[in-house]
Amino acid sequence: GKPAGAVYGMAPGADFVDISDIYWNHASSTIDGYIFAAVGYDAIDQTGFSLIDGPGYDDTDAIQVNSNSYGSSATDNDGWDYNGQVVTQLQLYWAPYLQFMFSTGNGAPAYGTTAPPSPWGGIGVGASTEYGSTGWESITNTLQIMNNDVTPFSNRGPGARGTSGVDVVAGGAFAAGAEAINYYVPSSWGTLDGNLSWASWGGTSRSAPVATGVMALIYQAYKDAHGMWPDFLTAKALLKSTATDLNYDVFTQGAGSVNADVGTAVAS
């Protein structure tokens, strides 16, 4: 009679691929993760090119959205950074239907603080507020009623290329999020309970996966309506053009807060 878990993501029907732990040998693991997202297990990219046998094949395991919750605040040349360039090349030539989502970082308040990687065609996600949703920092007076504001720690643009630096914001302060199923449940208990494996937490490391879930819904709505996946720039335009304007400047909020209802309606 219990649900399978206490926390359901933005796109509970989406298939999910876990690309291991990129924090082991971070520099090379991130690049490996990007390439794997573009070619999958079959080693065939989204253009039909096999890394083993050349062109002329069907991609049997294409990934549509890739979420990345990390960044390098010490790197100032966002947009020209190495990892951002790799992602740009993959999107342009290997995986035109794959969108990459990146956290902007938690080092604000200040302008010009967005943390690379910042690929040209990717999406930088800042953090908006959702206080009181799980009892963490519960609302005890009117001064605490904040929902869909941009949280002070969310990094802001502009980017080094003169871009907004932030494309959208999503819930990152603070709400429920899943933890590893064995994180809170010692194996000595004998049972791994998904209802216990969650916590209230925040950061742009939470907001990027939330936006990724919304993006997955937009991809599916587009596919259902048009019979094909949107390319990465169409997907980016759909997410940004349907975001809710929070009345901040574009360096702070980008286009605004992701909106699954409007995004899927327009994609359809």
Side-chain angles (χ1 to χ4, degrees), residues 10 67 101 125 130 170-172 176 205-215 258:
M10 298 301 296
S67 180
M101 319 285 284
V125 185
E130 196 177 349
S205 286
R206 186 186 186 280
S207 59
V210 169
T212 297
V214 173
M215 180 60 89
V258 293

Side-chain angles (χ1 to χ4, degrees), residues 17-221:
V17 180
D18 180 12
I19 308 181
S20 193
D21 184 2
I22 54 90
Y23 294 106
W24 181 85
N25 195 3
H26 185 73
S28 63
S29 292
T30 50
I31 303 298
D32 288 344
Y34 305 152
I35 294 173
F36 175 78
V39 303
Y41 292 102
D42 62 4
I44 299 171
D45 72 18
Q46 294 183 354
T47 71
F49 184 87
S50 169
L51 300 189
I52 301 171
D53 299 311
Y57 292 85
D58 293 327
D59 184 6
T60 62
D61 59 356
I63 294 173
Q64 278 70 57
V65 196
N66 178 278
S67 180
N68 303 272
S69 289
Y70 57 87
S72 176
S73 296
T75 301
D76 295 324
N77 61 333
D78 55 285
W80 286 285
D81 62 283
Y82 183 80
N83 282 26
Q85 290 289 325
V86 170
V87 170
T88 295
Q89 294 300 309
L90 289 174
Q91 288 183 301
L92 287 173
Y93 301 111
W94 291 36
Y97 305 102
L98 169 62
Q99 185 51 266
F100 286 81
M101 319 285 284
F102 285 93
S103 302
T104 60
N106 308 328
Y111 287 99
T113 52
T114 51
S118 303
W120 163 72
I123 295 174
V125 185
S128 58
T129 59
E130 196 177 349
Y131 285 104
S133 63
T134 60
W136 191 97
E137 188 70 303
S138 60
I139 297 170
T140 58
N141 58 66
T142 55
L143 295 178
Q144 290 179 278
I145 300 175
M146 295 190 298
N147 183 66
N148 239 357
D149 291 326
V150 178
T151 194
F153 63 69
S154 183
N155 281 0
R156 291 154 166 75
R161 292 182 292 110
T163 64
S164 64
V166 181
D167 291 301
V168 291
V169 295
F174 291 76
E179 297 277 10
I181 197 167
N182 61 347
Y183 190 78
Y184 292 109
V185 187
S187 58
S188 59
W189 291 9
T191 301
L192 301 178
D193 191 343
N195 287 288
L196 300 178
S197 299
W198 65 277
S200 294
W201 63 288
T204 54
S205 286
R206 186 186 186 280
S207 59
V210 169
T212 297
V214 173
M215 180 60 89
L217 296 174
I218 288 174
Y219 262 85
Q220 190 65 55

